[in-house]
Amino acid sequence: MDTHPTNLGNEFVDDPTALDLEHPLPFDHYNVNDALPQPLSTHGDEDPNLEPYEGMEFDSEQAARIFYNSYARRIGFSTRVSVYQRSRRDGSIICRQIVCSREGFRRDAGQHKSKRQRTVTRVGCKAQITVKKQTSGKWAVSKLVKEHNHELVPPDKVHCLRSHRHVSGPARSLIDTLQAAGMGPSGVMSVLIKESGGINNVGFTKVDCQNYMSSSRQRTLGSGGQVVFDYLKRMQTEDPAFFCAVQGDFGNSNGNIFWADAHSRMNYNHFGDTVTFDTTYRTNRYRVPFAPFTGWNHHGQPVLFGCALLLNESESSFVWLFQTWLAAMSGRHPVSITTDQDRIIRAAVAQVFPETRHRFCKWNVFREAQERLSDVYHSHPTFEAEFQRCINLTEAVDEFESCWESLLIRYNLRDNEWLQSMYNARQHWVPIYLRDTFFGEMSITQRSDSVNSYFDGYINASTNAQNLIKQYEKAVLSRYEKEVKADYDTLNNAPALRTPSPMEKQAANLYTKKIFIKFQEELVETLAYPATAIDDTGLEVMYRVAKFGEDHTSHFVKFDVFRKKASCSCQMFEFCGIICKHVLSVFRVANVLTLPSHYILKRWTRNAKSGVEVADCTVELPSNTQESYAARYDNLCLEVMRLVEEGTESIHIFNVTMDALHEAAQKVAFAKKHDSAVKKKCSSNSGLHLPSGSEDAEKKIQELSLELEDASRRCEGYRTKLLAVLKDMEEQKLKISVKVQNVRLILKD
């Protein structure tokens, strides 16, 4: 047995379910080191952390593992996860040690010793990193040992190490496509070597390729597949708006699957302007190939648009998935979509979403850069910082072009085919080229474009098909509860205003709380950003806006005085949907006191979901809401629920509410009788045939009568619920009173 953990305390134990970076899992798992979530730098984007150090913070334990394995690839060693420590309070993991794969020594197998002499892989190397969970929820490096007691592997051999040897997501897609065309392992490997620019860049061997192709023929969900299909069948029965599709026969355990519940489809109606197709499973060695479609709601929270299980990753499978998803979303194309840069996914997106702006996940590009340019990373430690600075911090196209050219010259990379291919596709992943399109993120350089983590904490590398649906439902419920809480906070916790500006007060009443805080930050910063008119000769005035004392970082705003429209060179509004400090500074100078309506995106407001779902489509409420049955029904529900909430505050208010409901029920009954009498009178009007207008009126009366009956039944239902709530409150009050009396008696004694 190879494992030999170091005991770091009574709470440390071996983790049998932990991701073992040294010993690859079967091919239905997916490798961790294809992804590279970035550590939280204490110095910001301007000084990326290339080396681990004590105190470095990460969003999660998984992010720490991935970062350290990426670092190991650059240095030339393999990693594995070691011991962990659990919390005595809730049993969750609060500390994790990640070590060099050559840590410890092999244990003596005793009488069960194998006859075959095994290669010595453990030499007692002390190199390791220990991360601990902080009260903030972040994970910080608490211990770091960099020194190794063995030779490190050169860059051209590092792909042979266990934790770096894998069939990546893009490679799997290409293999699936070539295999479907009838090509064998040798031919497939030849294509991969050519595409990668050499065998050292493939990342795995021909044996790995053969094993993957063999396993793909039998790739299924296993016994857990029945759990998934049972869920789909049950949801189809329970929810008429539930959508699901299987590529092949329903019940076929090796076909691709897609589903979207009614809530996901409704979410897309409101927030489907930007979409992320999250294929983390392909890079994080998941047990199930789970790929959700996600976006952002009006609170800036992840929101779900549907899920897929992809057992086949050929181009035709991705085309089928995107077409199926689009059909479930009523055929409405998003403004933008973010995926990884896999060539096969790119081809499928271009075919199904020809008018949608396609963005590659930027951090997946950085991850691939570490693999493709491993020799450069190893021999030039400053390259990564300069590369990321060129991508993230350039403010203009000319600046990026100049910076990119300088990198190629400085590091002699003009002939690098991969860099040339990424430069050719720069409009798809370099932020400066994407600013003119809406992606719904709070800043142009924010790190979260790597993954829209809707299922973070629920579905991960250890989740199998057996418990996938259970974890999926938990995540959906949790996200719904968080949205409800954010709605409550927005409505009941008014944000503090920081200026006397009427625009700030207007925004506080329009936006959700989180979006308002972002707007407020921009508004307050205008005090340090004076706007100076530099050209006012035409219908539009050009302003230069720069932070006080920093004129070298100016932005330019073109302002149409009559239409109150402005365009800023930073393009924050186009990208985020929130107006920037530069335009707000111009508004202050131009005496624009309130936000013009064209700068208020409904998707960020409190009323973002005020549309009505009819036949799986969103429509705005008509100007006369009494003309819409759905609107009347919705308004009645809202009013009654408000009564339920307010009517239980005290006995007096409850009695008043009940009296009002009784009175309303009587009026409804009277109105029903009156409508019924009118109906009879009209129908017996001298035996004459009613004109078309009268027939319409009769039909409307019938509809109103049915609605009134339904409203009456609902009033009675709410009355019953109110009584139950009151009874429960009285019981709780009595119990508390008894406890208080007991305590008083004890204190007297």
Side-chain angles (χ1 to χ4, degrees):
M1 182 175 180
D2 271 353
T3 56
H4 186 64
T6 302
N7 186 8
L8 302 182
N10 293 333
E11 294 293 318
F12 278 100
V13 294
D14 280 310
D15 184 0
T17 63
L19 183 62
D20 188 342
L21 296 179
E22 183 186 25
H23 305 293
L25 297 174
F27 281 108
D28 59 340
H29 296 59
Y30 299 88
N31 200 293
V32 140
N33 54 317
D34 244 8
L36 185 58
Q38 298 296 306
L40 297 174
S41 170
T42 56
H43 305 291
D45 286 332
E46 296 185 12
D47 184 20
N49 293 286
L50 305 181
E51 304 282 332
Y53 60 88
E54 290 190 10
M56 176 183 278
E57 290 188 336
F58 301 89
D59 281 328
S60 65
E61 176 203 343
Q62 184 78 353
R65 295 191 200 180
I66 295 170
F67 172 79
Y68 190 61
N69 197 54
S70 175
Y71 162 76
R73 183 184 180 91
R74 298 202 312 268
I75 301 302
F77 67 97
S78 183
T79 66
R80 60 181 171 84
V81 292
S82 185
V83 293
Y84 63 83
Q85 184 180 18
R86 288 191 181 276
S87 167
R88 291 187 176 89
R89 180 173 57 83
D90 58 10
S92 62
I93 295 176
I94 58 173
C95 185
R96 169 72 74 179
Q97 187 183 78
I98 312 163
V99 300
C100 172
S101 63
R102 308 197 74 177
E103 178 267 350
F105 297 94
R106 182 176 300 147
R107 291 175 180 173
D108 187 0
Q111 62 180 355
H112 301 292
K113 186 175 181 179
S114 173
K115 294 181 180 180
R116 181 174 62 88
Q117 292 297 318
R118 299 177 61 187
T119 304
V120 176
T121 58
R122 303 293 181 87
V123 295
C125 182
K126 300 294 184 182
Q128 59 116 326
I129 186 175
T130 299
V131 290
K132 288 186 177 181
K133 191 173 185 179
Q134 310 297 298
T135 54
S136 63
K138 306 297 182 185
W139 288 71
V141 177
S142 61
K143 182 179 179 181
L144 173 66
V145 179
K146 287 189 175 182
E147 295 74 22
H148 296 261
N149 67 350
H150 54 88
E151 291 186 5
L152 298 175
V153 177
D156 61 338
K157 300 292 191 298
V158 73
H159 68 277
C160 297
L161 295 173
R162 289 290 184 93
S163 70
H164 310 305
R165 177 179 164 188
H166 62 282
V167 182
S168 65
R172 286 199 303 273
S173 293
L174 184 55
I175 292 172
D176 283 344
T177 300
L178 296 176
Q179 186 178 13
M183 192 174 291
S186 297
V188 170
M189 201 65 190
S190 297
V191 173
L192 289 168
I193 292 171
K194 183 178 179 180
E195 287 291 317
S196 302
I199 191 169
N200 293 337
N201 297 325
V202 174
F204 53 90
T205 66
K206 182 180 177 181
V207 173
D208 296 326
C209 181
Q210 288 174 327
N211 290 339
Y212 174 78
M213 293 177 70
S214 176
S215 68
S216 68
R217 297 188 187 99
Q218 296 90 29
R219 206 178 309 155
T220 69
L221 292 173
S223 59
Q226 191 58 46
V227 177
V228 175
F229 285 112
D230 288 346
Y231 167 78
L232 298 179
K233 292 174 182 176
R234 172 169 61 84
M235 290 304 298
Q236 280 187 315
T237 302
E238 296 177 358
D239 183 1
F242 183 84
F243 183 102
C244 76
V246 177
Q247 191 176 17
D249 297 331
F250 193 86
N252 180 10
S253 61
N254 62 356
N256 293 328
I257 304 169
F258 170 78
W259 74 90
D261 61 18
H263 195 61
S264 294
R265 301 174 76 188
M266 179 188 70
N267 284 336
Y268 186 78
N269 286 329
H270 300 305
F271 309 115
D273 39 19
T274 184
V275 176
T276 296
F277 178 52
D278 182 2
T279 51
T280 302
Y281 82 88
R282 309 175 80 219
T283 54
N284 279 18
R285 202 154 85 173
Y286 277 29
R287 295 183 180 217
V288 289
F290 180 73
F293 291 86
T294 59
W296 306 102
N297 69 8
H298 51 323
H299 300 291
Q301 300 169 328
V303 65
L304 187 64
F305 299 145
C307 300
L309 288 170
L310 287 171
L311 298 172
N312 183 287
E313 299 180 7
S314 63
E315 181 180 334
S316 61
S317 291
F318 282 113
V319 169
W320 171 85
L321 174 62
F322 293 152
Q323 290 175 339
T324 302
W325 175 80
L326 192 60
M329 302 300 131
S330 302
R332 185 163 67 91
H333 291 240
V335 173
S336 62
I337 185 169
T338 301
T339 74
D340 70 38
Q341 69 273 20
D342 177 17
R343 186 181 63 179
I344 288 177
I345 293 181
R346 289 161 62 177
V349 170
Q351 181 175 334
V352 182
F353 306 108
E355 303 300 322
T356 296
R357 188 70 181 273
H358 185 197
R359 179 178 69 167
F360 305 157
C361 171
K362 182 175 57 180
W363 299 111
N364 275 348
V365 174
F366 287 156
R367 178 269 311 161
E368 187 172 356
Q370 288 194 340
E371 295 182 358
R372 302 279 191 166
L373 307 173
S374 59
D375 54 337
V376 181
Y377 277 65
H378 185 73
S379 56
H380 300 285
T382 59
F383 173 77
E384 184 173 11
E386 293 187 44
F387 181 58
Q388 292 196 16
R389 190 175 294 115
C390 175
I391 305 307
N392 289 328
L393 301 181
T394 47
E395 291 287 338
V397 171
D398 291 343
E399 183 184 357
F400 165 76
E401 298 282 355
S402 174
C403 185
W404 183 272
E405 183 67 17
S406 297
L407 274 178
L408 298 184
I409 295 173
R410 187 177 303 116
Y411 295 102
N412 194 26
L413 294 170
R414 280 185 174 277
D415 297 328
N416 186 280
E417 292 183 4
W418 182 80
L419 276 177
Q420 184 59 47
S421 69
M422 294 312 299
Y423 175 78
N424 293 339
R426 61 194 180 280
Q427 289 86 357
H428 291 286
W429 65 280
V430 178
I432 192 64
Y433 293 99
L434 296 163
R435 293 182 175 185
D436 61 348
T437 304
F438 182 79
F439 284 94
E441 294 165 3
M442 292 298 102
S443 72
I444 291 172
T445 59
Q446 84 173 63
R447 297 180 182 274
S448 62
D449 72 340
S450 61
V451 60
N452 188 333
S453 52
Y454 184 93
F455 291 97
D456 187 29
Y458 294 93
I459 296 175
N460 51 43
S462 63
T463 305
N464 57 34
Q466 294 276 5
N467 59 14
L468 172 67
I469 295 301
K470 181 179 179 182
Q471 294 301 107
Y472 161 84
E473 291 183 319
K474 283 183 178 180
V476 170
L477 179 60
S478 174
R479 289 296 180 185
Y480 176 73
E481 290 174 348
K482 288 179 180 179
E483 181 178 333
V484 170
K485 185 180 185 304
D487 284 337
Y488 178 86
D489 289 342
T490 294
L491 294 173
N492 295 282
N493 298 324
L497 301 182
R498 298 169 62 184
T499 73
S501 167
M503 189 179 293
E504 184 183 19
K505 185 176 181 180
Q506 174 198 16
N509 293 326
L510 285 173
Y511 289 130
T512 59
K513 189 174 181 179
K514 180 176 179 179
I515 303 305
F516 168 72
I517 290 173
K518 176 61 181 174
F519 169 84
Q520 187 182 56
E521 290 173 356
E522 296 293 316
L523 182 66
V524 170
E525 285 194 44
T526 61
L527 300 175
Y529 283 78
T532 305
I534 58 175
D535 183 4
D536 59 356
T537 56
L539 296 177
E540 296 179 329
V541 182
M542 180 68 75
Y543 288 87
R544 183 180 68 239
V545 183
K547 190 173 184 179
F548 184 77
E550 299 181 10
D551 291 344
H552 60 285
T553 56
S554 298
H555 285 85
F556 296 91
V557 178
K558 186 184 294 184
F559 179 54
D560 186 324
V561 179
F562 298 102
R563 296 191 299 163
K564 293 184 179 180
K565 284 192 173 183
S567 60
C568 180
S569 59
C570 79
Q571 296 183 302
M572 177 176 162
F573 179 75
E574 290 81 357
F575 186 86
C576 309
I578 300 173
I579 200 165
C580 66
K581 62 179 75 70
H582 313 114
V583 172
L584 291 173
S585 293
V586 170
F587 281 175
R588 182 160 51 86
V589 171
N591 204 32
V592 178
L593 300 180
T594 59
L595 270 178
S597 59
H598 44 265
Y599 286 112
I600 303 170
L601 291 192
K602 183 180 178 184
R603 61 122 48 240
W604 292 135
T605 68
R606 302 176 178 209
N607 299 321
K609 301 177 75 171
S610 63
V612 178
E613 279 63 50
V614 179
D616 298 328
C617 296
T618 296
V619 296
E620 298 296 324
L621 290 174
S623 56
N624 181 1
T625 56
Q626 301 307 312
E627 293 296 321
S628 167
Y629 168 80
R632 291 195 302 272
Y633 178 86
D634 194 41
N635 290 338
L636 274 177
C637 288
L638 289 173
E639 290 299 323
V640 174
M641 287 307 299
R642 189 177 292 111
L643 280 177
V644 171
E645 292 174 359
E646 297 176 357
T648 56
E649 292 182 359
S650 69
I651 297 296
H652 174 69
I653 296 176
F654 171 78
N655 290 332
V656 171
T657 305
M658 289 304 300
D659 290 342
L661 285 174
H662 283 305
E663 183 178 352
Q666 292 174 1
K667 290 182 177 180
V668 168
F670 176 78
K672 285 168 59 179
K673 291 180 180 178
H674 176 73
D675 286 342
S676 178
V678 171
K679 175 184 173 183
K680 290 180 180 179
K681 182 177 180 181
C682 291
S683 61
S684 59
N685 186 14
S686 303
L688 298 175
H689 179 70
L690 291 173
S692 59
S694 299
E695 290 177 352
D696 291 340
E698 182 179 5
K699 184 177 180 181
K700 179 65 69 175
I701 290 170
Q702 291 176 344
E703 291 178 357
L704 288 172
S705 298
L706 292 173
E707 292 170 23
L708 287 168
E709 290 176 3
D710 185 65
S712 180
R713 287 194 300 270
R714 289 182 174 276
C715 285
E716 189 61 28
Y718 287 127
R719 176 179 177 277
T720 303
K721 290 180 180 179
L722 282 169
L723 289 172
V725 170
L726 178 61
K727 182 179 179 181
D728 183 67
M729 290 174 62
E730 289 296 324
E731 289 176 355
Q732 294 297 326
K733 181 178 177 182
L734 180 61
K735 290 178 181 178
I736 294 172
S737 178
V738 171
K739 289 181 180 179
V740 170
Q741 291 297 328
N742 290 338
V743 171
R744 286 176 177 171
L745 290 174
I746 292 171
L747 292 175
K748 286 181 180 180
D749 294 339

